[in-house]
Amino acid sequence: MAEHTESGRRTALTTIGTVVAAAIGVTSIGTTQTAATSVDGATGSDLTGIYDGTVDRIVDGEHVVILIEEGGEVIDQQVVSADEYPDLEEGDAVMVLLYDGNVLFVW
């Protein structure tokens, strides 16, 4: 039952993300990664588009670490301020709008 709910939530988030992207004029939803990125953040990325993500952890109540996923695999990691997204919790499925490797919005 939990797997069905998670799958349904991801589908809903993907649909909402697509609609939002169309509304704000994001033209590239696919991957435009020019640098390989390890999960530990050792290298940078140039990702642009809307991606599925999972809140991996919250560090010292200040930073939220989000694993960026594509095709069921982690392709990047982003860190955002916990103050900007106070409702995020570990394990949350999110959508992330990235432009040139920078987080523009998380929902």
Side-chain angles (χ1 to χ4, degrees):
M1 181 78 174
E3 289 181 31
H4 185 281
T5 303
E6 182 68 21
S7 175
R9 183 173 180 195
R10 284 197 183 274
T11 301
L13 287 172
T14 300
T15 302
I16 291 168
T18 302
V19 171
V20 169
I24 62 174
V26 174
T27 58
S28 174
I29 296 180
T31 302
T32 56
Q33 184 174 5
T34 59
T37 304
S38 63
V39 175
D40 65 6
T43 60
S45 73
D46 293 327
L47 295 176
T48 296
I50 297 174
Y51 295 88
D52 292 326
T54 302
V55 176
D56 182 49
R57 62 192 177 277
I58 300 173
V59 181
D60 299 329
E62 295 181 19
H63 307 287
V64 179
V65 179
I66 301 173
L67 301 179
I68 307 301
E69 304 164 358
E70 186 171 65
E73 294 193 23
V74 175
I75 60 169
D76 194 10
Q77 157 181 298
Q78 294 288 328
V79 179
V80 296
S81 170
D83 291 338
E84 290 183 46
Y85 301 100
D87 295 331
L88 292 180
E89 297 178 6
E90 290 183 14
D92 281 353
V94 296
M95 296 295 297
V96 182
L97 176 59
L98 296 171
Y99 179 75
D100 199 27
N102 297 304
V103 175
L104 298 181
F105 194 70
V106 178
W107 68 98

